[in-house]
Amino acid sequence: MNSTPTPVPAIEDLARTQQAWNATYTALAASPAPSLNTLLRRRLLRLSTRLARLRRQTTCQTERKSG
């Protein structure tokens, strides 16, 4: 039997979303084009909302497993 714990899908999604947020933030910091800046800022807003939701979701899942 495999003793490796199965990762929670929400935690994997949280990690991917955080990586996308970091990449978008880096692109925004390096972007000289104002039109691209608008797109990147909108993407950051969407990703920030998603991160907040996923953090709440993973916290609830973790609390249910430990409690």
Side-chain angles (χ1 to χ4, degrees):
M1 203 161 168
N2 190 355
S3 63
T4 305
T6 307
V8 178
I11 292 175
E12 292 175 349
D13 198 19
L14 177 63
R16 280 192 301 272
T17 304
Q18 183 66 57
Q19 289 171 346
W21 191 96
N22 291 342
T24 303
Y25 186 86
T26 300
L28 178 61
S31 174
S35 60
L36 183 58
N37 288 351
T38 301
L39 294 173
L40 292 171
R41 283 195 308 269
R42 288 178 183 163
R43 180 164 168 76
L44 275 178
L45 286 171
R46 284 193 309 273
L47 289 168
S48 294
T49 302
R50 185 171 173 80
L51 280 171
R53 183 178 49 80
L54 287 169
R55 285 183 181 131
R56 279 193 304 273
Q57 193 176 37
T58 55
T59 300
C60 290
Q61 288 177 356
T62 304
E63 288 174 356
R64 272 189 249 135
K65 285 184 178 184
S66 65

